[in-house]
Amino acid sequence: MNMPNINDARKRTNNIIPIKRDDFIIPEEVKNIGKNKNYCILTYGCQMNVHDSENISAIIEEMGYNKIDNMDNANVIILNTCAIRENAHNKVMGMLGRIKHLKEKNPDIITAFCGCMAQEVGIANKLKDKYPWVDIVMGTHNFHKLPIYLKNTISTNKQQLEVYSKEGDVIECLPVKRDSKYKAWVNIMYGCDKFCTYCIVPYTRGKQRSRLPDDIINEVKELVKNNYKEVTLLGQNVNAYGKDLNINYNMANLLEDVALTNIPRIRFVTSHPWDFTSDMIDIIAKYDNIMPYIHLPLQSGSTKILNKMGRRYTKEEYIKLFKEIKNKIPNCSITTDIIVGFPGETKKDFKDTIDIVNELKFDLAYTFIYSPREGTPASIMKDNVSVEEKKERLATLNELINKYANLNNQKYKDKIVQVLIEGQSEKGNMLMGYTDTMKLVNIKAPEKYIGKIVNVKITDIKTWSMDGVIIDD
Ligand code: SAM
Ligand code: SF4
């Protein structure tokens, strides 16, 4: 048993990060234990978790397990959790209740709990003391040891709880089973060193560790060979890529080298405004295969609140960066994240947020009510804004965000755009895909177009999507 520790989680040293190329093993005796058995994986949270689940799926399938979507018939149920806000927590705890019910009927079901929630001291203690029937609890640094934990669970029938609070390493040998045949997530870095005062990520994911450029570029070249059309370069703060490598190679260099692989579409998330350089903007503008779409979290329009959040930029600096991007890449769509109700946010601070939204007119924004996370500096800041007031501010903000989302989409009416067709739309009888600017388009077209980038004429505009028709292949 190895419990997480918040003091170890926040430690940062100058130690060299080990790159492990042979750390993944499936013990001989469990290689086929999943034959004729099913697993189900439920993923919560960000793209990083989605991609981790692709690794976990590949690992468990190498043991013979078959993936199913319905947990009622699963022999192994894996919960890949998110700790970013309280409501993500609540969803997972609710799901544990449902799994307990299934396990009462079939005690052979194995439950594995992983992801950022497992890294939290309070949650790990709760799982140990109150949920002993959760068979495996593993953290973000060691999910690749799932085969060993499964083996131990089966042989001892005791809870396997192993969570490390450490800076972390880079593991290059993990298998991956990608959800899509056309779009791939590619990690370029792990962890985060920004320590925004509200955020749990630096504690759950460890220190910033960039992958070596060659490892990333070779992965993208392999995807090109396999006919992938799009990669999304993943990291909590991709603009800081390379800072920890000390090899004089940064995100602008990486974007250029990935562009030169000729993969048709390149995206990247998430960008921290602080590390966004003019060189990066120039490279995005230079290469047609780097998509004109940037997710640029603002968090607040008040410089006072940004300062309390530890974001290290002012409202004016954010506006300047936004305008530089729009000047150099005029068709670029820019989306953002905004938190309302941060401790000490006055009506005037909130008005600053409203003003900046009115000025910049984001294509879209993901908006959140501040949620205190145990162990973070903001969680002990004096918070005198009532819950009702926070909800009202969120509703006011959302109304404005929706208005600009719709107005930005209106510009596409009757225009011809390129769309990568990904698959069936949630709307019956339609296919769906995204424009280069990340606008969702639903199209009535035959399935033969799935996996292709096609020219589409936009015929109808909604707030969250558009409809279109294919005008050629
Ligand atoms: N690394 C990215 C960044 O710096 O923007 C994204 C991190 S997080 C997965 C995504 C978003 O969740 C953040 O941009 C922030 O708006 C929101 N978030 C993080 N911690 C939060 C908290 N304690 N309460 C409410 N929202 C939070
Ligand atoms: Fe969290 Fe800030 Fe790091 Fe983003 S940059 S993951 S918000 S600490």
Side-chain angles (χ1 to χ4, degrees):
M1 186 165 293
N2 209 88
M3 299 297 284
N5 177 306
I6 188 88
N7 292 325
D8 291 344
R10 67 163 68 93
K11 218 183 269 168
R12 292 294 186 265
T13 69
N14 289 326
N15 296 345
I16 303 277
I17 290 297
I19 300 177
K20 298 185 172 175
R21 298 189 186 274
D22 52 7
D23 203 41
F24 170 66
I25 31 158
I26 299 192
E28 206 50 49
E29 61 274 31
V30 290
K31 270 204 170 135
N32 284 313
I33 58 163
K35 225 173 165 189
N36 301 323
K37 290 189 178 152
N38 298 321
Y39 79 98
C40 170
I41 185 161
L42 304 172
T43 307
Y44 300 84
C46 66
Q47 293 96 336
M48 199 72 67
N49 261 15
V50 172
H51 189 39
D52 284 351
S53 286
E54 292 184 333
N55 290 127
I56 295 168
S57 291
I59 292 169
I60 193 163
E61 287 183 25
E62 287 200 11
M63 302 166 75
Y65 286 95
N66 172 51
K67 187 173 186 172
I68 55 170
D69 290 334
N70 183 350
M71 70 175 185
D72 293 359
N73 300 317
N75 303 90
V76 178
I77 301 172
I78 305 165
L79 289 174
N80 192 4
T81 64
C82 169
I84 205 87
R85 283 172 291 276
E86 191 61 34
N87 55 359
H89 259 218
N90 297 344
K91 276 189 209 157
V92 169
M93 297 322 275
M95 188 52 75
L96 274 185
R98 280 188 58 196
I99 298 172
K100 187 170 186 216
H101 215 67
L102 289 175
K103 214 164 149 119
E104 277 160 7
K105 284 191 253 163
N106 176 7
D108 289 340
I109 292 173
I110 295 175
T111 312
F113 190 105
C114 60
C116 287
M117 272 176 80
Q119 293 291 141
E120 292 182 272
V121 181
I123 295 291
N125 272 317
K126 204 171 187 175
L127 292 167
K128 174 167 76 69
D129 298 333
K130 302 214 170 96
Y131 295 76
W133 56 268
V134 174
D135 303 282
I136 298 167
V137 184
M138 55 189 183
T140 55
H141 298 293
N142 58 323
F143 65 73
H144 61 290
K145 287 169 74 181
L146 175 63
I148 294 163
Y149 303 136
L150 271 172
K151 169 179 159 281
N152 293 347
T153 300
I154 292 163
S155 60
T156 66
N157 204 18
K158 288 210 178 99
Q159 187 180 62
Q160 306 294 307
L161 193 160
E162 191 158 69
V163 180
Y164 294 104
S165 295
K166 58 177 190 173
E167 295 187 317
D169 30 35
V170 172
I171 301 174
E172 283 297 342
C173 51
L174 290 185
V176 59
K177 190 192 171 224
R178 300 191 188 275
D179 292 335
S180 164
K181 285 194 269 186
Y182 318 109
K183 280 175 43 161
W185 308 109
V186 173
N187 278 120
I188 63 168
M189 64 206 294
Y190 304 96
C192 180
D193 289 345
K194 286 286 182 278
F195 286 99
C196 301
T197 57
Y198 51 82
C199 184
I200 194 77
V201 171
Y203 308 84
T204 62
R205 294 255 167 198
K207 163 172 158 166
Q208 172 175 321
R209 291 105 66 203
S210 299
R211 289 177 73 199
L212 293 179
D214 278 353
D215 287 322
I216 299 166
I217 292 156
N218 288 337
E219 186 174 341
V220 176
K221 283 184 177 164
E222 200 55 37
L223 290 163
V224 174
K225 260 197 230 157
N226 289 315
N227 212 17
Y228 273 79
K229 299 290 191 309
E230 182 175 307
V231 288
T232 302
L233 308 178
L234 276 187
Q236 288 300 343
N237 173 20
V238 288
N239 313 42
Y241 171 80
K243 282 189 166 180
D244 51 309
L245 291 175
N246 295 323
I247 56 169
N248 202 15
Y249 187 94
N250 60 29
M251 185 60 179
N253 303 127
L254 181 70
L255 273 177
E256 178 149 44
D257 282 340
V258 174
L260 293 171
T261 65
N262 287 328
I263 184 105
R265 292 179 148 205
I266 300 159
R267 302 188 190 278
F268 52 91
V269 278
T270 294
S271 294
H272 190 303
W274 185 36
D275 292 306
F276 215 119
T277 62
S278 295
D279 283 354
M280 255 187 82
I281 303 173
D282 294 339
I283 292 290
I284 300 166
K286 179 173 168 191
Y287 289 95
D288 284 346
N289 59 345
I290 305 178
M291 297 295 96
Y293 162 69
I294 295 169
H295 185 63
L296 192 66
L298 166 69
Q299 312 301 2
S300 169
S302 150
T303 297
K304 179 193 101 191
I305 295 295
L306 286 171
N307 192 27
K308 285 184 83 180
M309 287 175 162
R311 290 293 286 183
R312 309 182 207 199
Y313 53 84
T314 61
K315 167 175 105 177
E316 289 75 18
E317 283 164 341
Y318 185 95
I319 293 172
K320 186 165 169 265
L321 173 63
F322 186 102
K323 291 190 172 162
E324 185 183 349
I325 295 170
K326 286 279 190 185
N327 281 337
K328 290 181 174 169
I329 318 167
N331 63 332
C332 192
S333 72
I334 302 181
T335 58
T336 197
D337 290 345
I338 298 173
I339 298 175
V340 299
F342 188 79
E345 185 190 69
T346 59
K347 284 191 167 47
K348 157 84 177 65
D349 295 319
F350 179 63
K351 186 172 176 300
D352 285 349
T353 297
I354 293 293
D355 287 348
I356 200 170
V357 170
N358 275 323
E359 180 174 353
L360 302 183
K361 306 178 176 54
F362 295 101
D363 280 84
L364 201 67
Y366 301 92
T367 55
F368 314 103
I369 290 182
Y370 165 69
S371 171
R373 305 286 73 208
E374 200 182 331
T376 60
S379 68
I380 49 170
M381 289 179 189
K382 193 159 178 256
D383 185 0
N384 48 12
V385 187
S386 71
V387 179
E388 287 68 34
E389 175 79 27
K390 290 182 187 193
K391 284 186 180 163
E392 263 174 45
R393 288 181 193 178
L394 184 70
T396 307
L397 178 62
N398 283 344
E399 204 175 307
L400 205 56
I401 295 296
N402 296 353
K403 175 178 132 187
Y404 289 120
N406 193 296
L407 275 178
N408 278 302
N409 283 357
Q410 293 296 341
K411 293 183 219 147
Y412 286 75
K413 180 88 170 74
D414 297 326
K415 292 265 157 55
I416 292 165
V417 291
Q418 292 211 313
V419 176
L420 166 57
I421 310 280
E422 293 180 22
Q424 296 292 343
S425 163
E426 281 173 7
K427 296 184 169 185
N429 287 333
M430 289 183 112
L431 302 181
M432 54 72 66
Y434 287 90
T435 63
D436 53 354
T437 51
M438 203 66 177
K439 304 283 179 186
L440 173 62
V441 184
N442 292 306
I443 304 153
K444 243 188 199 123
E447 284 191 358
K448 68 173 185 179
Y449 286 109
I450 294 176
K452 293 195 172 146
I453 297 173
V454 290
N455 287 326
V456 170
K457 184 170 180 186
I458 299 300
T459 52
D460 198 13
I461 306 288
K462 322 245 159 80
T463 301
W464 311 117
S465 68
M466 308 172 189
D467 289 347
V469 288
I470 293 180
I471 55 166
D472 67 36
D473 285 23

